[in-house]
Amino acid sequence: PDGSGGYFIRFQGVAGSAYQLLRSLEVTGPWNSIATNTAPASGLIEFHDSAPLPGQAFYRTMTP
């Protein structure tokens, strides 16, 4: 949690590789793309979800 109702989503990727972050109300989907990021040299990608879904949400990554 970010302290203001949002969340920081962090994941490890391969430096220089692009990743798409997807979000859904259900673990089975449907999934909606909310961001695409390229991993920096450290590989650590961080996304600030300042408008999370109400209740619970599921997140996953994939390479576009």
Side-chain angles (χ1 to χ4, degrees), residues 6-28:
Y7 293 93
F8 289 107
I9 310 299
R10 295 180 183 105
F11 62 95
Q12 189 69 36
V14 175
S17 295
Y19 294 89
Q20 189 173 27
L21 181 62
L22 301 114
R23 178 178 66 186
S24 176
L25 283 170
E26 303 288 335
V27 72
T28 56

Side-chain angles (χ1 to χ4, degrees), residues 28-53:
T28 56
W31 294 93
N32 296 309
S33 177
I34 58 173
T36 299
N37 294 294
T38 299
S42 68
L44 182 63
I45 297 173
E46 181 176 274
F47 175 77
H48 182 219
D49 191 353
S50 59
L53 298 173

